[in-house]
Amino acid sequence: YQERSMPKLQPVVVRVPTTPSKRRQVEGTKKTQQHEGASLWVGYVTLLKLTMGAGTLGLPYAFSESGFLVGAVLLVCVTCIALYGGFLLAACSEKVLSDGTPATFGAMTSRASPAFGHVVNTIIMFKCTGTAVSYMIVLGENLAAVAEKTLGVSAESSLATRQFWQFAVFAVFVAPVAFLKDLKALKNAAVLGLIAVLYVLFLAVVYSLLPDSETCAAFESVDACRGKPVAVNPDPVGQLRALPIFFFALTCHQNIPTTFNEMAQPSVGRITKG
């Protein structure tokens, strides 16, 4: 037999980054691959708080404008649309993130139409800014009323003005929170927000069951305070007024990509199984 010579194995040379910038780049890549992000519970709490916001408190008015039967149908339909929209955003976020790109609306849009990626990001920016401004207006009006009626502040005082409370809340709470690094740092604020919303909903239920309380003091009778239940409002204008309230109460989808980016082991199955 003729012996066959075995090929010689070439040594493998591993190049270690020598400069600090290259070492930081490699370490950052390893951290991205490990994706040590927020827990699933933090993601759920954040999205739940963003959905159960002040818009939920407008649902009673929406039912009064549409009727309790039409309102129930609209609520179910809008809920299904919101859930399906959230599922689509989660699926798109998973696809973009699997390609090594952070999930954003611009990155998703660029996959379908590269020319409109920045346009969509600009639209989302204006949408979030408008929502924040509307909340600040409502917050300033409510705190000014509390200062005047509950704390006994004079109506001529600056403490009873909407502008004072808007500036105070922005400087003390909003600005520091806005500089936090990621959404998972807002988990405690999200829990407090959920408690506040549930407390207000509890008060609404109590006042509806106790119509003889001070909430009906301006009405002639309890029946006038409660009003008559209507299944279907025949006024089409009332139906149109109610429809945006249902959508506003259950949609806050612009935060799904950011939450998806920060989750540990992000996947559509994990974020939708709850």
Side-chain angles (χ1 to χ4, degrees):
Y1 297 95
Q2 184 179 1
E3 295 183 356
R4 297 181 179 180
S5 59
M6 297 296 294
K8 295 183 179 180
L9 298 178
Q10 298 295 330
V12 178
V13 179
V14 179
R15 299 183 180 274
V16 179
T18 56
T19 62
S21 60
K22 290 184 178 181
R23 284 198 296 268
R24 286 194 296 268
Q25 183 177 2
V26 172
E27 292 175 358
T29 304
K30 291 181 179 179
K31 290 182 180 180
T32 303
Q33 292 174 352
Q34 294 174 355
H35 200 84
E36 297 179 357
S39 64
L40 188 62
W41 180 82
V42 173
Y44 281 157
V45 171
T46 303
L47 292 178
L48 184 61
K49 170 58 191 72
L50 293 170
T51 302
M52 290 183 58
T56 309
L57 304 179
L59 289 178
Y61 175 77
F63 271 88
S64 67
E65 288 291 331
S66 60
F68 64 86
L69 181 60
V70 177
V73 174
L74 289 176
L75 183 61
V76 172
C77 293
V78 172
T79 302
C80 293
I81 294 173
L83 289 175
Y84 185 63
F87 171 79
L88 292 179
L89 277 178
C92 293
S93 299
E94 183 179 21
K95 173 61 178 175
V96 173
L97 198 61
S98 64
D99 296 337
T101 304
T104 62
F105 282 93
M108 298 177 196
T109 307
S110 297
R111 296 299 192 276
S113 180
F116 291 96
H118 296 294
V119 176
V120 173
N121 279 337
T122 304
I123 293 174
I124 297 298
M125 180 195 69
F126 281 112
K127 187 267 181 189
C128 294
T129 303
T131 302
V133 171
S134 64
Y135 282 147
M136 291 298 296
I137 292 175
V138 174
L139 184 65
E141 291 179 349
N142 289 335
L143 290 179
V146 169
E148 183 178 353
K149 297 180 180 179
T150 304
L151 302 180
V153 176
S154 174
E156 289 77 16
S157 174
S158 60
L159 297 178
T161 60
R162 184 186 69 184
Q163 292 78 6
F164 170 81
W165 290 105
Q166 287 174 343
F167 176 80
V169 171
F170 180 83
V172 178
F173 297 103
V174 178
V177 170
F179 284 99
L180 293 177
K181 187 176 181 180
D182 45 32
L183 282 179
K184 67 181 180 181
L186 298 176
K187 61 181 180 180
N188 295 328
V191 172
L192 292 176
L194 281 176
I195 295 175
V197 172
L198 293 176
Y199 173 70
V200 175
L201 291 176
F202 171 75
L203 292 180
V205 173
V206 170
Y207 283 136
S208 66
L209 297 177
L210 302 175
D212 55 344
S213 61
E214 61 181 6
T215 56
C216 293
F219 294 86
E220 298 179 357
S221 62
V222 173
D223 294 334
C225 179
R226 283 184 169 180
K228 296 181 179 180
V230 178
V232 179
N233 186 4
D235 184 13
V237 179
Q239 303 286 353
L240 293 176
R241 282 197 299 262
L243 186 59
I245 299 176
F246 285 106
F247 278 101
F248 181 69
L250 297 174
T251 55
C252 200
H253 291 50
Q254 72 272 6
N255 299 282
I256 291 180
T258 304
T259 305
F260 202 90
N261 287 333
E262 299 178 7
M263 286 179 55
Q265 301 176 357
S267 65
V268 177
R270 294 191 73 227
I271 202 171
T272 58
K273 71 177 183 179

